């Protein structure tokens, strides 16, 4: 199984935990941050992954601080982007399904 597929899958799974959304998104960030876009992703997905990881921690010293300052709508959009990234990674690595 590819590193990118496992990380994207685990990021989506972290969104289904029973803790608050900030904690779930922070866990998803930690998993996605392990992906080396150049080594693990096709070129067309590299920027999307890098951008998503950066947006999860945007403008703060810690991921939790960044997520806590965001609006609920922004956190919800980030969770949707994580699911969308997983869908794209799954299409890119169909053998991992």
């Amino acid at each position: 199984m590819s590193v990118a597929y496992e990380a994207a899958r685990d990021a989506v799974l972290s969104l289904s935990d029973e803790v608050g959304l900030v904690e779930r998104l922070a866990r998803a960030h930690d998993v996605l941050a392990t992906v080396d876009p150049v080594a693990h992703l096709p070129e067309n997905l590299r920027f999307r992954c890098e951008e998503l990881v950066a947006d999860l921690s945007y403008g703060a010293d810690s991921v939790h601080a960044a997520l806590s300052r965001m609006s609920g709508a922004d956190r919800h959009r980030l969770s949707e982007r994580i699911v969308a990234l997983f869908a794209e990674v799954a299409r890119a690595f169909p053998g991992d399904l």
Side-chain angles (χ1 to χ4, degrees), residues 66-89:
L67 293 167
S68 295
R69 286 195 265 178
M70 291 178 192
S71 69
D74 286 342
R75 289 190 294 264
H76 181 76
R77 278 190 290 280
L78 284 170
S79 65
E80 289 175 336
R81 287 174 58 197
I82 291 167
V83 173
L85 178 66
F86 172 68
E88 290 188 52
V89 169

Side-chain angles (χ1 to χ4, degrees), residues 32-61:
L32 292 173
T34 66
V35 175
D36 176 349
V38 174
H40 301 137
L41 288 169
E43 189 172 342
N44 65 317
L45 294 178
R46 291 175 187 164
F47 179 75
R48 286 195 66 171
C49 183
E50 290 172 336
E51 181 182 50
L52 178 56
V53 170
D55 288 350
L56 284 161
S57 60
Y58 183 76
D61 293 333

